[in-house]
Every structure is written in C-alpha cells, then in structure tokens.
Amino acid sequence: MADGVPLAGGALTQAAPHPLIERRTWLWRADTGRVIEALGLAKPADPEHADIAGNWLTGLGSGLVQEDIVGSPANGAVLGWTSTRPFSGFESELLREVARFAAAPLALLAARSTLAALLTAYLGRRSAAQVLAGRLRREPGETIKAALLFADLRGFTELSESTEPKEVIAALDAWFDRIAGAVHAFGGEVLKFIGDGVLAIFPMGERDAAAACEAALRAVVAARAGMDHLNRARAAQAVPPLLFGTALHLGEMLWGNIGTADRLDFTAIGPAVNLVSRLEGLCRPLGHTALLSGAFAAETTQPLTALGQHTLRGIASPCTVFALKE
C-alpha cells in the first residue's frame, strides 16, 4: 500500500491437518486493517461456498482477484488480493514477489501447525501442549484439581463378539462422538480413551468447584440426550441399543509422563481416578446411568437421589453415592 498498490483486501489460505477442518483462511480488509479467520470444513454443507477466500475477495473493491500459490502446490497455500481498480503489470508482479518471499516462513509455520494438530488429535489438548513444550522424559507431572467424569459402555465385549468389526468401530465412534462431544461443549477435556471408556476432566482454576461440577453435570445430561437419540435411530435399524454408565467425582489427580525410557504416555493416576472408575461400575447393579460421589454432590444444587454408602473395589473407605435423576 505504501508503494501505491490499490489493495482493498487480502486472503491467505492454508491446508489444515485436522479431522474436521480442511483449510484455514485469514481475511484482511484494507480499509479497517482487521483480520478474521474462517474455517473450511472437510465436508462443507454447501459446496458452492467452499471457496471462502475467492468469494470474500470478489465482494470487495473492484471484484477483480489475483491469487498466487505460495511455495509448492502440494502445500496448499494460496495468497489472494483484490483491488479498488485493476492491477497494473508492475503491481501484479510485485504481489507475485510477495507470494515467493512468503513461502519459507509459511512453510515453517505450517509444519509447526501440522505437528500441533496431529498431537492434539491423538493426545488431547493438555498432553499435546506438554509434548510441544519439550516434556519428553519421565517426571512427576502436574497435580490437577478437577471434576472427573468416567464413562463406559456396558456389554461391549458381547457386542464385539456378535457384531462385524466395522459395525463395532462405527458404534464406538458414535458413542465417543456423544460423550466426548458433550465434554468439549461444556469446557471439559478428554484425557484418555480406555477401550470403550472415557476419562475426562473439568479443571478448576478460573472457575471454582461448583462451576466445574455444574459443567460436568451439563455434559452428562447432553451425552444422555445424544445417546437417547442415537438409540432411537438404532432401534429403527433393528440393532440393539448402546447402554452406558457415567460417574462423576471431585478430587485431585496426577497427570504426567509414565512409561519406559523410550516409550512414554501421559497418564492420569491417583485415588480420585481410581474412585471415579470404580464408581461407574456401580451403574449397572444400582440401575442408574449417572452416579455421583459425595464430594461431587456437595458442590451441586441439582436434585439428586441418595443411594447410601457403598464399598468400591480397591477403595479403603465406603463412598457415599448419589444418582442423577433419570
């Protein structure tokens, strides 16, 4: 712009290594200087709107758009511009120079973004951040105080023995979508997928214990609604429902690198983790889909059903158990 190029706006699009997002686009307006980010889904609802950058740039200025590939076509990065009048030959060449000079720094940023996205997809947000920060040795880790949620499918062994493997995987994916999706929607984080089980936390910090427990309760209610909808669809297909149990507890856990010298895993350990997983095991014999420990129940005002004290396997003291009303 200082050289007199009549820019009205610009757009940078890069491929995004993400399970749901195919590309990220940053859109810049020359008149305000503002930049906004737009996400392109892998399966857009409306294919006509798949070209986010091109459609947006066309609506600015003269409607004339110049797009240049940044680096190799395989990288999928495109730099686009629109103007208040047609570009001259010199101006177009200047913008092509911008794309050439942008290739090297964008390649470095794309590589780090790819690594971060892959680690987050496989390890979760908290663990990925630890790995990116260089936590690659066995060490005690961090103590997290949080509302803990443990959820598990019932009868999964029988299901896997009587069902085709592809159908088993589809059922697992549908289950994880409902429970993990609800956790993320209410500010929680899935720490581990354990077979057909899920361990998630709603950390305390900016929010207090009551707020963390309320978020966890909302996630359970949302997951139950999602599973109810899924099981109605399965009934219409004459397949058995997916039965499950969830348990909620409030406590501290240790989250850190555990394993061998050359093969590590971020793992949650501690009495709170043991208690919440054992508590979920009472869902079937007590006939409830959601059980709460006394520590968790003390932080909520939701109507609960008291189920008395129960001995949990491997837990020294009996646990006061409450049920979320169906």
Side-chain angles (χ1 to χ4, degrees), residues 49-322:
H49 296 115
D51 186 8
I52 296 173
N55 293 337
W56 188 82
L57 291 172
T58 302
L60 291 178
S62 64
L64 300 174
V65 176
Q66 174 174 323
E67 290 186 324
D68 300 299
I69 295 175
V70 181
S72 67
N75 293 334
V78 176
L79 194 56
W81 307 97
T82 188
S83 60
T84 57
R85 60 164 172 76
F87 292 123
S88 68
F90 170 76
E91 291 165 345
S92 291
E93 180 57 30
L94 186 62
L95 294 177
R96 282 190 284 272
E97 285 291 307
V98 171
R100 281 194 285 271
F101 277 98
L106 281 179
L108 292 175
L109 291 172
R112 182 168 179 82
S113 176
T114 298
L115 177 60
L118 291 174
L119 287 174
T120 300
Y122 281 93
L123 300 179
R125 187 172 63 251
R126 183 177 295 268
S127 300
Q130 298 282 356
V131 173
L132 285 171
R135 296 275 298 276
L136 300 176
R137 293 183 176 87
R138 288 182 291 190
E139 51 192 359
E142 61 177 321
T143 298
I144 303 172
K145 187 169 185 179
L148 288 79
L149 183 156
F150 188 84
D152 193 44
L153 278 181
R154 299 179 193 166
F156 179 71
T157 301
E158 294 83 349
L159 176 69
S160 60
E161 290 181 351
S162 61
T163 309
E164 290 293 325
K166 288 184 178 180
E167 295 179 17
V168 173
I169 295 298
L172 272 179
D173 287 343
W175 154 242
F176 287 141
D177 275 343
R178 271 69 180 179
I179 185 67
V183 166
H184 293 152
F186 290 97
E189 181 178 352
V190 172
L191 292 186
K192 303 285 285 185
F193 292 111
I194 309 167
D196 60 330
V198 178
L199 174 63
I201 60 170
F202 296 79
M204 294 170 56
E206 294 183 1
R207 56 186 171 189
D208 58 14
C213 291
E214 179 65 21
L217 274 174
R218 288 176 179 268
V220 169
V221 172
R224 293 202 308 189
M227 289 301 293
D228 183 60
H229 184 272
L230 174 65
N231 283 331
R232 288 200 300 270
R234 289 176 63 85
Q237 300 168 6
V239 292
L242 297 177
L243 304 179
F244 64 97
T246 55
L248 295 166
H249 179 49
L250 181 68
E252 291 184 347
M253 49 172 271
L254 189 65
W255 181 242
N257 265 333
I258 297 174
T260 66
D262 60 351
R263 176 63 175 88
L264 300 172
D265 186 21
F266 273 97
T267 302
I269 60 172
V273 177
N274 297 336
L275 189 148
V276 75
S277 61
R278 299 289 188 264
L279 181 59
E280 189 281 326
L282 290 180
C283 286
R284 176 183 284 181
L286 295 181
H288 290 272
T289 60
L291 297 179
L292 294 69
S293 70
F296 189 100
E299 298 293 340
T300 180
T301 58
Q302 295 288 335
L304 304 173
T305 301
L307 300 178
Q309 289 192 331
H310 294 266
T311 300
L312 303 178
R313 181 168 57 89
I315 306 297
S317 302
C319 177
T320 304
V321 180
F322 294 82

Side-chain angles (χ1 to χ4, degrees), residues 11-84:
L12 170 64
T13 298
Q14 283 189 294
H18 189 276
L20 300 177
I21 301 167
E22 187 172 63
R23 59 201 169 278
R24 301 172 68 191
T25 299
W26 292 268
L27 307 168
W28 167 74
R29 290 185 66 109
D31 56 356
T32 64
R34 292 183 178 179
V35 177
I36 60 174
E37 183 181 0
L39 303 179
L41 300 180
K43 295 180 180 180
D46 186 353
E48 293 183 2
H49 296 115
D51 186 8
I52 296 173
N55 293 337
W56 188 82
L57 291 172
T58 302
L60 291 178
S62 64
L64 300 174
V65 176
Q66 174 174 323
E67 290 186 324
D68 300 299
I69 295 175
V70 181
S72 67
N75 293 334
V78 176
L79 194 56
W81 307 97
T82 188
S83 60
T84 57

